[in-house]
C-alpha cells in the first residue's frame, strides 16, 4: 500500500473510532456538555447580574472614603461615617470587585500613616494589584511597616519586591534606595553599595540615580 493510501486509511480509521465512541457514549457526553454549558451560563450570569452591579455600587461608595483619605481623615476613611462605609467595610462587602480590592490598598496605607504597622501589613498583603505603580507602592508600604517594627530583613525583602515590579523608573529607584539604606543600617555595607551602584547605573536620569554616587562614597568610607 502506498504511503498516501496508508495515511488516508489511518485517518479514516480514526474517524470511525471517534464515531463509534460518540455513538456508544452519547448519553454521558450529553451530560458532560450540559454540565459545561450550565457552568458557562452560571459564570456569565454571575458576572452580569452580581459582579457588574456590585462594581458600580462599590465605585459610588468608594468616592466618599477616598475624599476622607485625601483630606487625611484616616479614621473616617477606614471606618466611614453614618451611611457612608469606609474602606474596611467596602473591602469586606465588595470583596469580589476591583473597588473592594483597591479599598484594601487604601486601608493599608491609612494604617501605615496611623502607625498601626501590623494592621498595615495584613491589609496590604491582602491587596492584589495589577497596576504596576500601585502594586509597587503596596510592597513598599509593607517594607516601611516592617522597618518601623525593627524587622529590617523583612523590610528589605519587600523593598526589593517593590523595586522589581517591572523595574519602572517612578518607584523602582525609590525602593532600591530604601533597601540600600536598610542594608546600611544593618551594617551590610557590601549589599548596600551594590544597590547604590545599581541605582546609579540603571536609573542615572532620576534624582536617586544622580545622588547614588555620594551614598556609595559614604558606605565605602564606613567600611574603612
Amino acid at each position: 500500500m502506498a504511503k498516501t493510501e496508508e495515511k488516508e486509511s489511518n485517518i479514516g480509521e480514526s474517524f470511525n473510532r471517534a464515531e463509534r465512541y460518540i455513538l456508544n457514549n452519547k448519553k454521558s457526553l450529553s451530560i458532560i456538555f450540559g454540565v459545561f454549558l450550565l457552568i458557562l451560563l452560571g459564570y456569565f450570569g454571575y458576572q452580569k447580574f452580581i459582579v457588574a452591579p456590585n462594581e458600580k455600587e462599590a465605585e459610588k461608595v468608594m468616592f466618599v472614603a477616598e475624599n476622607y483619605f485625601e483630606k487625611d481623615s484616616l479614621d473616617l476613611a477606614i471606618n466611614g461615617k453614618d451611611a457612608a462605609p469606609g474602606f474596611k467595610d467596602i473591602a469586606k462587602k465588595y470583596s469580589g470587585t476591583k473597588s473592594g480590592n483597591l479599598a484594601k490598598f487604601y486601608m493599608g496605607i491609612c494604617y501605615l500613616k496611623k502607625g498601626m504597622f501590623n494592621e498595615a501589613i495584613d491589609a496590604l498583603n491582602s491587596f492584589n494589584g495589577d497596576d504596576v505603580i500601585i502594586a509597587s507602592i503596596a510592597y513598599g508600604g509593607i517594607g516601611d511597616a516592617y522597618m518601623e517594627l525593627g524587622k529590617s530583613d523583612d523590610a528589605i525583602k519587600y523593598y526589593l519586591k517593590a523595586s522589581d515590579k517591572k523595574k519602572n523608573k517612578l518607584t523602582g529607584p525609590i525602593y532600591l534606595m530604601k533597601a540600600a539604606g536598610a542594608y546600611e543600617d544593618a551594617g551590610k555595607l557590601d549589599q548596600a553599595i551594590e544597590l547604590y551602584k545599581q541605582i546609579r547605573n540603571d536609573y542615572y536620569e532620576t534624582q536617586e540615580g544622580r545622588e547614588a554616587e555620594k551614598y556609595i562614597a559614604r558606605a565605602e568610607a564606613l567600611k574603612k
Side-chain angles (χ1 to χ4, degrees):
M1 184 183 291
K3 286 186 177 180
T4 303
E5 291 177 346
E6 184 180 354
K7 185 177 181 181
E8 289 176 353
S9 175
N10 289 336
I11 293 171
E13 178 62 24
S14 296
F15 278 123
N16 288 335
R17 287 181 182 178
E19 186 178 3
R20 286 197 298 272
Y21 179 82
I22 292 169
L23 288 172
N24 292 335
N25 298 275
K26 189 183 293 183
K27 186 175 180 180
S28 59
L29 287 172
S30 296
I31 292 170
I32 292 169
F33 178 75
V35 170
F36 174 76
L37 188 61
L38 282 173
I39 292 170
L40 196 63
L41 289 173
Y43 171 78
F44 284 112
Y46 175 77
Q47 292 294 320
K48 183 176 181 179
F49 298 111
I50 296 177
V51 173
N54 276 354
E55 190 68 69
K56 289 182 180 179
E57 188 178 337
E59 287 175 3
K60 289 180 182 178
V61 297
M62 274 283 284
F63 179 75
V64 178
E66 285 173 333
N67 276 340
Y68 286 135
F69 179 82
E70 288 170 7
K71 294 174 182 177
D72 240 15
S73 300
L74 301 179
D75 288 326
L76 293 177
I78 294 170
N79 301 307
K81 183 180 180 182
D82 300 328
F87 294 129
K88 186 188 289 187
D89 288 336
I90 294 169
K92 185 176 180 180
K93 185 175 180 181
Y94 303 99
S95 59
T97 68
K98 292 179 181 178
S99 295
N101 182 48
L102 187 58
K104 297 173 184 176
F105 169 80
Y106 276 120
M107 184 167 58
I109 299 300
C110 287
Y111 283 136
L112 189 61
K113 287 184 174 184
K114 282 172 61 64
M116 300 171 67
F117 303 119
N118 286 310
E119 291 82 353
I121 291 167
D122 289 341
L124 291 171
N125 264 324
S126 68
F127 168 70
N128 183 20
D130 294 325
D131 183 272
V132 173
I133 302 301
I134 295 177
S136 179
I137 294 170
Y139 283 137
I142 295 171
D144 288 341
Y146 275 125
M147 277 300 287
E148 293 292 341
L149 292 170
K151 299 179 178 180
S152 59
D153 287 343
D154 289 320
I156 290 166
K157 181 176 75 174
Y158 278 94
Y159 285 147
L160 292 176
K161 275 188 175 185
S163 69
D164 200 41
K165 198 68 179 174
K166 292 195 176 178
K167 299 186 183 300
N168 72 88
K169 293 178 182 180
L170 182 61
T171 60
I174 292 172
Y175 291 117
L176 273 180
M177 188 65 79
K178 287 194 172 191
Y183 272 133
E184 202 172 329
D185 289 345
K188 299 178 180 179
L189 297 174
D190 287 332
Q191 292 94 323
I193 291 168
E194 185 179 341
L195 289 187
Y196 288 136
K197 287 181 178 179
Q198 184 181 340
I199 296 165
R200 180 193 63 189
N201 297 335
D202 294 350
Y203 300 102
Y204 57 89
E205 73 276 32
T206 66
Q207 181 180 340
E208 291 78 15
R210 291 189 292 270
E211 293 179 347
E213 198 65 51
K214 70 179 182 183
Y215 289 106
I216 294 170
R218 185 184 70 185
E220 286 180 338
L222 289 171
K223 288 179 65 178
K224 296 176 181 179

